[in-house]
Every structure is written in structure tokens, then in C-alpha cells.
Amino acid sequence: MQANKPTSNKLLKSINQQKVLRLIFTDGPISRVELAEKTGLTQQTITNIVNRLLQDRIVLEMTPTTSSVGRKPVPLIVDGSSMYAIGIEVAVQYIRGSLMDFQNKRIFEVKREKIDREGYPLAYMIQVVDELLQHVPDQSRLQGIGCSIQGLVDSKQGIVLYSPGLGYRDFPLRDRLEEKYGLPVLLDNDVNLLALVENLNGRLAASQNNMTLKLDYGIGGAIVANNQLCSGANHVAGEFGHYKVVVGEQAVKCHCGGKGCLTTIASISSLRRSGWKLDDFRTRVLEQEPEAITRFGSMIDGIGLALSNMITMLNPEHVLVTGALVDAFRDTLIDAVKERIASSVPDTCKGVQIICLPETPNESISAAGLVMNDFFEVPLEQLSL
Ligand SMILES: [Zn+2]
């Protein structure tokens, strides 16, 4: 017990500092007196913490508003314009990186399309980060690298569990990047990250129960129930791509080891396996070419079936549908899926709203948000130590 004490004190100190920092971030401009009131910490502790944050140039003192009645307290704010984060979107076909400041302003963006398999994705990611680093106004103020990954991720361990498109299985991406750059690195699955952003302040903010489905090179999903993201025992909850939608002789073997999965008929990778490029496929569907129409019909059937079953099971208020396939077909796809759902879910679930984003968001920006969120996070989990 005795040996643990210094660690506990140090932890408590860091928890208090994070509490103060987070409050300045969320409630700033805020004075030292208000910080003491809101945290329950003593004036002296607040003064010590604020002095440290001022010294590290993490917070700034603003000019107090003048008043005839005595001295006004000095408001404090986070110095967001001089702290930076790098966000990387690791997609199957490209790597996109954004250099952001802590006021969410983008300073620079880089995108590298995959040319061949050699060195993809790690060597490409390193190229993108290296290029962004040249644009950081002050490298000592760069707080970390966040990554949005098209694949299954254990974000606590920083491991890409499985991504057939990226060629990763149990790959320790966080450790590799931290060793290379000496900065904190954070990873999350692309759809989970999108669902978190949209639930926090986007189109899903008004709903407590919702699903996000991304129809892209592969198919990914996220489920939010009672405002909580369901990750499941092995971080694979919400994997809509492996929902069974085909049975019997038509069922094709999937890379997951199963058969008849949605991803085998409704993903861009499944189109490619049948020799279709997305752009050509889109043109041929819009020209009503019979072969393309049949294929598009089976995609819609599969998506409609998988979603109808998920809606019946989870009774969400909203379903957000996004991804390159949705961007390519927009209303043609959404309206057809809506029709399938309306005709097959029980009356009790018919209130569900199917929504889509104007276009699939730039996930490198959300990935940089992982760094900012981590920077201001209060390490509550460590309290149990
Ligand atoms: Zn599968």
C-alpha cells in the first residue's frame, strides 16, 4: 500500500488538472473563482494548476471587462489556435490527412491514393504524416495523431484487429506510429467515429437510439442504444456487413468465414469482384441496363432486409446511411431502401427515420478530434487504480 501512495498523489494531481483544463475548454472564458466553485478544489490548488497551464501556454488570460466596482476577475480560455492535432483517414483506397488547430481550423490537407499494394497502408500513412509535419507552425505544440480506420479496431489497445481491405490482422498500429513519431496516437473504427461525431453534435444528436451504416469498399456499422455506443465483447458489435441476407445456392462465401453476408452483394469490393467499377456500374444502372438493374436490385434487397431486421430488433429513432455507394446513388438508393423498410418492419417500428449526410464526411477531421478529446479527457478510469 505504502509504495502506491506517491503514484496515487500524482494521479490525483493529474485528475485535478484535467478537471480544471476540461472546464476551461467547455465553459471558458471562466475565472479562477468560478473554477474553484465548480470543481470544489481550493483557491490555492486552482492557482497552482492555472499557473502551470499558463506556463505551458495551454491556457490564456483574457482582458477582464472594466467595471467601476472594484477589480474584475481575469477570464481564462484554452489557447486553441496554437495547439495542433493531426488526423489520418485510413481508407482501403486512399490515405487522407488533416493538420488541425484546437479551434477546429484546418491548416493543411494531404491525400494519397493507393497506387499499388506495396507499402500500403503504413508507408503511405508515414508519407502523409511527414508532409503534414512540414506545415506545423510549432512542432512542440503538436499534441498527437488520431486515425480513423476502415476495419475493426481495439481502440484501448491501439490495435487494428481485422481489416481485409487494409491487409491487417492484429496489427499494433498505435505502437508503430508512437515509436516513429514520439507522439500520442489514437485509433478508432471509421463508422464508430462518425457515429460519435453525429451523436455528439450532428444529425443524430436528437436521438438516443440509432444506427449508422456505411456502404463503402466494405460495409461497417455502429449501434447507439440509450446514448451508449455498443462495442460488444470483442469490439465487433454493429458489423452489418456480415448480416446474413442470402441463403441456399445463391449464398457466396465471405472473407469472414461465413456465407451469404451483406458485404458479398452490397459493397464496392463485391462489385469489383464481379468486374464492375463503381462509376461504370452507376452509369449502367441509371441507363437502366438490365444486368446492372438486376444487380442493383439485389443490393437494395440485401440492404433493405438487413436494415429491416436490425430496426425490428433495436427499434431505433434514426438510421444514418452513408459511404461511397450512397454518394454515388443518393435518392435512387435511399428511396428504394426506405420502401423496403416501410413494407417489412412491424407497425411499431415504422416511425424510424432514414437519413443520409450531404456527402461522406472527411474523416481525417474527425480523427484529429480524437486527439483533442483525449487531451481534455479526465482520466476517470484511472481512479479505480
Ligand atoms: Zn461475412
Side-chain angles (χ1 to χ4, degrees), residues 263-321:
T263 197
T264 64
I265 59 163
S267 63
I268 297 172
S269 64
S270 75
L271 281 176
R272 288 192 166 203
R273 267 193 298 276
S274 324
W276 303 84
K277 276 191 175 161
L278 181 61
D279 285 351
D280 299 337
F281 179 63
R282 178 178 180 274
T283 311
R284 289 159 80 171
V285 169
L286 297 181
E287 284 169 357
Q288 303 275 313
E289 191 192 290
E291 198 191 346
I293 287 290
T294 308
R295 180 65 198 258
F296 188 65
S298 66
M299 287 174 119
I300 297 296
D301 286 344
I303 298 165
L305 185 60
L307 274 180
S308 296
N309 282 326
M310 292 301 288
I311 289 165
T312 306
M313 204 187 310
L314 294 164
N315 184 210
E317 289 136 354
H318 291 97
V319 174
L320 177 69
V321 192

Side-chain angles (χ1 to χ4, degrees), residues 242 254 256 261:
H242 303 288
C254 174
C256 73
C261 302

Side-chain angles (χ1 to χ4, degrees), residues 117-137:
R117 278 166 176 242
E118 192 65 39
Y120 197 86
L122 191 59
Y124 282 69
M125 287 176 75
I126 289 171
Q127 269 182 26
V128 166
V129 173
D130 286 350
E131 192 171 340
L132 290 172
L133 283 175
Q134 292 172 20
H135 297 269
V136 181

Side-chain angles (χ1 to χ4, degrees), residues 204 207-213 224 240 304 306-321 334 337-356:
L204 299 172
S207 88
Q208 297 189 340
N209 300 282
N210 55 67
M211 308 191 309
T212 301
L213 176 66
V224 168
F240 290 93
L307 274 180
S308 296
N309 282 326
M310 292 301 288
I311 289 165
T312 306
M313 204 187 310
L314 294 164
N315 184 210
E317 289 136 354
H318 291 97
V319 174
L320 177 69
V321 192
I334 297 294
V337 168
K338 274 185 185 168
E339 232 172 76
R340 298 291 197 287
I341 291 169
S343 64
S344 53
V345 298
D347 288 344
T348 44
C349 295
K350 286 206 193 312
V352 64
Q353 285 187 42
I354 313 294
I355 51 175
C356 62

